[in-house]
Amino acid sequence: YHDAEWTGATALGGKDGAKGNVQWVRACEIGASKPAGAKKTIADKYKLYEGKIEPADLCQGAIGDCWLVAALASAAEQPMSIRNAFLTPEYNPLGRYDVRLYDPEAQDWVIITVDDKIPVDSSKQPLYMKMNGKELWAVMLEKAFAKFCGSYAHLDGGWAVWGWRVLTGDHCFRLSLEN
């Protein structure tokens, strides 16, 4: 599967795209590869979830989406909140993932379809969310949020409470203390 409408400069939103060294690589091609002719084992396979879903699965990359990482990390404490977002419940060898996010403006759920092509730097390492081993949920969820917001550049700066609302559909609020 290839999402031809949301890739390249459009998906980056001007973020890092001017450098010209951004490539898009399928998630299953990131990381060390086996020598030619080597036998693949079950351990070599990529998975949407590997082991349990936990906050340690998240590692922020070169964009200011710490608010999203914080929202996903808190959601990872309740793994079903992450699993409920994915309508594609396991690794898809075709590279297509359907993610369900809540649109607070429309007050309705939307389905965001993304491919598993990840923006990488010249050393083939993900630019944004880093992968935890061969587990894909964090990079796919960040990509779905980026597409929902219009681009990766639009993830730069935000509020964790908004990320939590979009992920869960729950009513969320923020308290602030003033003098």
Side-chain angles (χ1 to χ4, degrees):
Y1 173 73
H2 174 66
D3 185 355
E5 294 177 11
W6 201 78
T7 189
T10 300
L12 294 173
K15 186 80 174 158
D16 302 312
K19 295 178 185 174
N21 61 351
V22 176
Q23 298 173 32
W24 292 80
V25 176
R26 287 202 61 196
C28 63
E29 297 169 2
I30 295 171
S33 59
K34 291 257 185 210
K39 221 176 174 187
K40 294 219 179 226
T41 67
I42 191 86
D44 294 326
K45 293 187 179 180
Y46 285 78
K47 298 177 182 174
L48 192 56
Y49 313 106
E50 187 172 50
K52 60 184 183 174
I53 295 171
E54 56 190 343
D57 293 339
L58 299 152
C59 182
Q60 182 181 355
I63 193 164
D65 66 352
C66 58
W67 62 271
L68 178 59
V69 175
L72 297 179
S74 66
E77 295 287 343
Q78 299 296 321
M80 284 310 294
S81 64
I82 300 294
R83 289 185 185 275
N84 286 340
F86 283 93
L87 300 178
T88 309
E90 57 189 42
Y91 172 75
N92 182 345
L94 299 177
R96 178 187 167 132
Y97 293 90
D98 292 325
V99 177
R100 182 182 75 130
L101 297 175
Y102 185 77
D103 183 343
E105 289 183 24
Q107 296 183 1
D108 201 6
W109 293 97
V110 295
I111 308 301
I112 307 295
T113 301
V114 293
D115 62 25
D116 69 352
K117 293 177 183 76
I118 305 299
V120 297
D121 60 22
S122 58
S123 65
K124 303 274 192 235
Q125 293 304 308
L127 279 176
Y128 307 124
M129 187 75 72
K130 308 301 180 196
M131 291 172 51
N132 182 15
K134 296 183 180 222
E135 185 171 44
L136 302 176
W137 76 264
V139 294
M140 292 295 99
L141 203 45
E142 180 189 50
K143 185 170 184 176
F145 264 85
K147 186 173 181 179
F148 178 73
C149 292
S151 71
Y152 279 98
H154 286 117
L155 296 181
D156 199 4
W159 295 99
V161 70
W162 184 85
W164 181 259
R165 175 87 196 267
V166 171
L167 181 66
T168 66
D170 290 340
H171 290 282
C172 301
F173 61 92
R174 189 180 69 182
L175 297 176
S176 78
L177 180 65
E178 296 181 17
N179 292 338

